[in-house]
Amino acid sequence: NAFVHFDGAFMYHLPANNVEIITDPKTYIRGFRYNGKVDFGDSEVFYFKDLNGDSIYRGASRLEACLENISILYSMQEFQQKFFDNGTIFGLVLTTDNTLSQVAKEKTIQYWQQRYNAKSGGRRPIILDSGLKPQKLSEQNFSDLDFDVAMRTHSERIMTAVGVPPILLNGGNNANISPNLRLFYLETVLPLVRLYNSALERYFGYDIAPVTSNVSALQPELKDVASYHQTLVNGGIITRIKVS
């Protein structure tokens, strides 16, 4: 939600969280109340909003659709950090045929933590006695902690929700940087600009169009421009004029 106040000479941005829309059953909107104190008429403020399936007055955040994905991403990163901070070892349990006293158990656990801690090397050989035998408890390994596929999937869902093409995540070489930047403007930036332009056109009554000629990402390649004009000349659509 974006609200703009026009006082006849200048435009002022009103933070959406502090703006209340005063509705009217006949005129749709009667006015706006800013910060609970200042009232504006319906002709003093224009605004534009994102989509919302529950209200015709205010837009809903796109991030609401992917809050669960964001929460899962944070949880995975927090788990990774705590796992390595604690020096945990995956899937290992010590078994013995003997019955150990509580004191022996505590000493064995303490000894194992000191000598086979991932933070202090984790590869130090250990001699097991008293019938102790290592046994795998899980088939997981450290590479499973990357969550690479899951994190990429959640990231793509978040990007899709906010309108960013997920293909931009994979644009890591010189061959596709330019097309991906152009795609970012066409699919993400310009739709927001069109919302703003539409609000301005409706409020002021003039045709307004964004100037994109100085946006380098939206300019065609010089090679394509040269080929385009050459085709027009060879096809007779454009003729050469010799200037003396």
Side-chain angles (χ1 to χ4, degrees), residues 10 15 27 29 62 67 98 121 134 136 227 229 241:
F10 301 98
T27 61
I29 293 178
R62 300 184 184 185
L67 284 179
N98 302 324
K136 277 191 174 183
S227 176
H229 286 94
I241 297 178

Side-chain angles (χ1 to χ4, degrees), residues 118-186:
K119 296 177 66 176
S120 59
R123 295 291 182 180
R124 182 170 181 171
I126 292 180
I127 298 176
L128 299 177
D129 54 6
S130 301
L132 292 176
K133 301 175 183 178
Q135 180 178 337
K136 277 191 174 183
L137 186 64
S138 172
E139 295 298 328
Q140 290 178 305
N141 51 56
F142 284 103
S143 63
D144 296 331
L145 274 180
D146 285 340
F147 304 123
D148 192 46
V149 177
M151 294 183 75
R152 185 182 297 112
T153 300
H154 290 298
S155 298
E156 289 181 355
R157 290 177 181 174
I158 295 172
M159 294 181 71
T160 302
V162 298
V164 179
I167 193 175
L168 293 176
L169 281 177
N170 302 321
N173 57 67
N174 293 332
N176 55 18
I177 286 180
S178 180
N180 282 349
L181 285 175
R182 180 178 179 85
L183 182 65
F184 175 72
Y185 272 90
L186 293 177

Side-chain angles (χ1 to χ4, degrees), residues 163-215:
V164 179
I167 193 175
L168 293 176
L169 281 177
N170 302 321
N173 57 67
N174 293 332
N176 55 18
I177 286 180
S178 180
N180 282 349
L181 285 175
R182 180 178 179 85
L183 182 65
F184 175 72
Y185 272 90
L186 293 177
E187 300 296 333
T188 305
V189 178
L190 290 184
L192 296 177
V193 173
R194 283 194 290 269
L195 282 176
Y196 180 64
N197 282 350
S198 298
L200 287 174
E201 288 180 337
R202 183 182 182 278
Y203 186 80
F204 291 105
Y206 296 102
D207 290 332
I208 300 175
V211 178
T212 59
S213 57
N214 57 351
V215 180

